[in-house]
Amino acid sequence: MKPFSKMNCMGLAFAGMLMASCADSPTAVADYQVVPMPLEITAASQGSFLLKSGETICYTAGNEKMKKNAEFLAAFIKEQTGIALKVAEGDGEEGIVLRLGLEADSPEAYRLKVDERKVEISAPSEAGVFYGIQTLRKSVSVHEGAGAVELPAVEINDSPRFSYRGMMLDVGRHMFSMDEIKTYIDMLALHNINRFHWHLSEDQGWRIEIKKYPKLTEIGSKRSETVIGRNSGEYDGKPYGGFYTQEQAREIVAYAAERYITVIPEIDLPGHMQAALAAYPELGCTGGPYEVWRMWGISDNVLCAGNDKTIQFIKDVLAEIIDIFPSEYIHVGGDECPKVKWETCPKCQARIKALGIKGDSKHSKEEYLQSYVIHEAEKFLTENGRSMIGWDEILEGGLAPNATVMSWRGEAGGIEAARQQHNVIMTPNTYLYFDYYQAKDTDSEPLAIGGYLPMERVYSYEPMPSALSPEEQKFITGVQANLWTEYIPTMAQAQYMVLPRMAALCETQWSAPEKKQDYQGFLKRTARLTKIYQLKGWNYATHIFDVNVNIAPNTETGKLDVTASTIDDAPVYYTLDGTEPTTASSKYENGLTIDAACVLRMMAVRPEGNSRITRDSIAFSKSTAKPITMLQPINKPYEFKGATTLVDGMTGDRNYKTGRWIAFYKNDMEAVIDLKEATEISSMTLRTCVEKGDWTFDTRGITVEVSDDNKTFKKVASEAYPAMKETDANQIYTHTLTFDPVKTRYVKVTALSEKNIPAWHGGKGNPGFLFVDEIVLN
């Protein structure tokens, strides 16, 4: 199965149903409700401009950037409608006019004004004009073969919320051709994104030519083979490699600049450097030998911080990076740098001693040593007129004076950096990591790193933390999403992972918060945007066109209430026996009630192609849809729909972030289920999801108690479980406790969480998470 292939898109021409089709008419009508939503749209009472072949786009004389803007607009309109426009210098009073001179707070602001005689896009800068062109392009949408497009009279005044609007692509794990990188940049331009963060070095491959260190690409760009799946221990036996020459990188910089996108290069240091160490083993603590890493994860082999050659290497590499990339920011990584080699390295320990570094309650002396390395990099960049940006780990051991922090481990790092008056780019993995799954049915998705990040969650992100004061919030200067490519070997799959989630990202980056209140409206605007994706041949995910199914326990009736909806009110058909629905199946009307075990499958039917089929397996037990009360709190980040998750008749898979599991942290799970009347039970089953690397452990014990009055409880079953061993599998564990039949109304189930992670684990001594998906009483 290839769920990310173009076959699954089925053309999806039905997105066009959401606006007037031009197949039957020579004239189409533009729609200014685009993505990202403009700040102000003021419709005129009457009048419109008829966009047709032969019209001229006028641009500022002698301005090459404005000429390129005019050529872009002509190309977009030709591609999307077939309408051929001319381009000419000058400042016309009719037709389409691109001009500078608008006064606005942001140089990227623009005004798009349409009346009967002309279409005028004005801005303070060429970049602002470009964003006005993007809005016009998206308003026209795709009307191939249209004789003309009617542009209703309007005035649109718009400007971006954030000056830094980024999207990252990792080419260290898997790399992409020059044409594919350019396509990625075109995708960014369509979404008003102005920073392309290019992650160029990794343990698994060095991807940029450095002339002073030729072995970085001769040796460091090639791994002998690649692990299959998630570090399965099996390898594909196929050499993998490649890199970009400095001339190619300059070509990408120029291509992006024409689209007002700045390329921000990242050389990740001092960790994620095993490929560099394979080329120059003397830069490591042990001297090697090293190999370009064949597996995923975080290598313990990092640059030796006590070696003078290391600091010189960093400066030499950054010097060439500065020469290639004109961006203000240079990204130096700083994330995920294990310190185990430094702890035993004589050179690193000597450096610690020479610098007078002491560990304290906040950081170890080795963490402070990393700060020394980062400071050296920052000092070099500052001396050369550039600014350093790094992941939030650069906060550890003290922040370099002019550093900007990219907050990825949630928002905590960004909040701390803003309080220290450092600029912050928000890119929390909980909202903006596009390598995460975007559907609950992961079996039907391409392999991903894990997580769960549906479109609605991306759209819900608000980058300004309420924990910050208005003055501190000013240091939040940008928003970015990231695509890590361990499991993304092709550009088709990269597109599938970022589109259309990039639409939700760009609306967060660009639009004012008050313009983001209507998620359903956003989906309809995104459906129109996908018409451009189709035209460009971009392979986008189609989840927004699926049936949105909500299954909720009704504790009054003891049944499950099902509601279903679609983006365009397409008719929905369903089955309850697990078979694939057709138009001959039951039609969903206004709700559905389930009171027995079944497999619910739903499908939206459209003339242009049916949606994918949803699948929800539902089991019924004596606890299903019964009232439930938690006596200890659910962990907020993993609360999802709360306590009813444990009595909704549905179980989760190995992905504990889909909403089918809830978590407990630093306290136990303690729940009381009200069976509503005296009921005989003799067993209790509870499942836990274990991912030890994520600090997620099995329960340490379960107790079942019963009561007739919800006050006095009697224990009927109890089991204790030993601490998990390193060799215990990551999997779903099923615990069933049986006991003599007892008739009772209230059942209390307590599952103990791991309070003290074992010594073999990196999180030793800390509490672990306990994930539970269902309490089954029979």
Side-chain angles (χ1 to χ4, degrees), residues 374-548:
I374 297 295
H375 275 253
E376 288 292 311
E378 193 268 346
K379 181 181 175 185
F380 178 82
L381 291 172
T382 300
E383 288 171 351
N384 285 274
R386 303 299 181 91
S387 297
M388 188 192 85
I389 192 168
W391 303 109
D392 55 56
E393 285 94 332
I394 66 172
L395 283 161
E396 296 168 4
L399 203 51
N402 296 314
T404 293
V405 171
M406 196 165 269
S407 185
W408 74 274
R409 296 178 298 179
E411 294 186 317
I415 290 170
E416 176 60 29
R419 285 174 174 161
Q420 293 183 27
Q421 299 190 349
H422 284 265
N423 286 344
V424 174
I425 310 301
M426 282 298 194
T427 178
N429 57 346
T430 45
Y431 290 95
L432 297 176
Y433 266 41
F434 288 177
D435 53 332
Y436 285 10
Y437 284 110
Q438 50 194 321
K440 292 182 180 181
D441 183 10
T442 54
D443 290 341
S444 299
E445 294 292 307
L447 180 66
I449 199 166
Y452 176 55
L453 196 58
M455 183 82 141
E456 188 168 9
R457 182 162 176 81
V458 178
Y459 192 73
S460 73
Y461 181 52
E462 170 46 50
M464 288 296 186
S466 57
L468 294 177
S469 69
E471 281 302 309
E472 291 167 338
Q473 286 184 349
K474 291 177 182 176
F475 292 97
I476 310 295
T477 58
V479 181
Q480 175 174 297
N482 301 324
L483 185 68
W484 303 102
T485 61
E486 287 93 334
Y487 307 105
I488 303 176
T490 67
M491 180 50 66
Q493 191 176 344
Q495 291 175 337
Y496 179 86
M497 298 304 281
V498 303
L499 300 176
R501 287 191 283 193
M502 198 183 281
L505 165 72
C506 83
E507 193 133 312
T508 297
Q509 294 171 327
W510 182 281
S511 300
E514 60 270 20
K515 294 293 181 180
K516 287 185 62 194
Q517 305 303 314
D518 179 14
Y519 179 65
Q520 292 305 313
F522 163 75
L523 290 179
K524 287 181 167 59
R525 289 183 282 117
T526 300
R528 288 182 53 242
L529 185 62
T530 64
K531 295 289 285 180
I532 297 179
Y533 299 170
Q534 290 175 47
L535 183 68
K536 301 294 288 185
W538 298 344
N539 184 36
Y540 64 98
T542 62
H543 304 93
I544 64 171
F545 299 105
D546 293 348
V547 182
N548 181 27

Side-chain angles (χ1 to χ4, degrees), residues 239-258:
Y240 187 94
F243 64 93
Y244 305 96
T245 66
Q246 293 194 2
E247 283 310 304
Q248 286 177 319
R250 288 189 174 94
E251 184 180 333
I252 293 298
V253 167
Y255 187 88
E258 284 188 336

Side-chain angles (χ1 to χ4, degrees), residues 549-723:
V549 184
N550 183 57
I551 303 171
N554 185 327
T555 57
E556 292 295 318
T557 63
K559 300 175 183 179
L560 300 176
D561 293 339
V562 180
T563 56
S565 62
T566 59
I567 190 173
D568 55 353
D569 299 322
V572 172
Y573 293 85
Y574 70 92
T575 60
L576 295 171
D577 60 2
T579 59
E580 291 198 359
T582 67
T583 51
S585 304
S586 299
K587 186 177 181 180
Y588 173 85
E589 297 290 356
N590 295 306
L592 177 65
T593 298
I594 293 176
D595 60 3
C598 66
V599 178
L600 172 64
R601 306 191 76 184
M602 302 189 110
M603 177 180 70
V605 174
R606 300 177 175 94
E608 299 81 4
N610 300 335
S611 74
R612 296 181 312 175
I613 299 171
T614 66
R615 179 188 173 94
D616 291 287
S617 296
I618 298 167
F620 255 76
S621 74
K622 293 177 179 178
S623 52
T624 305
K626 296 298 191 295
I628 182 169
T629 304
M630 304 307 300
L631 302 184
Q632 295 194 47
I634 303 168
N635 180 245
K636 280 291 180 185
Y638 299 104
E639 187 175 28
F640 300 109
K641 293 182 180 178
T644 58
T645 304
L646 301 180
V647 291
D648 64 4
M650 294 178 287
T651 54
D653 59 18
R654 284 283 304 280
N655 188 345
Y656 58 79
K657 296 180 179 179
T658 62
R660 290 281 168 84
W661 301 87
I662 57 174
F664 302 87
Y665 182 62
K666 297 183 179 179
N667 58 261
D668 302 321
M669 185 213 81
E670 190 175 10
V672 175
I673 297 170
D674 179 2
L675 299 176
K676 301 188 79 172
E677 62 183 11
T679 305
E680 184 173 277
I681 59 170
S682 59
S683 71
M684 189 287 310
T685 298
L686 177 148
R687 303 189 333 149
T688 63
C689 185
V690 172
E691 291 288 344
K692 302 191 301 295
D694 294 350
W695 294 28
T696 300
F697 284 78
D698 194 12
T699 180
R700 291 300 303 274
I702 300 174
T703 300
V704 180
E705 300 172 84
V706 298
S707 172
D708 294 326
D709 60 4
N710 201 19
K711 294 178 181 177
T712 304
F713 283 86
K714 174 188 174 185
K715 185 190 299 183
V716 294
S718 185
E719 284 187 4
Y721 306 104

Side-chain angles (χ1 to χ4, degrees), residues 270-272 298-303 335-343 366 370:
H272 289 280
I298 306 167
S299 171
D300 287 345
N301 293 310
V302 303
L303 293 177
D335 64 313
E336 298 177 332
C337 178
K339 312 298 190 294
V340 290
K341 300 296 185 186
W342 292 359
E343 290 169 1
E366 286 77 22
Q370 173 166 328

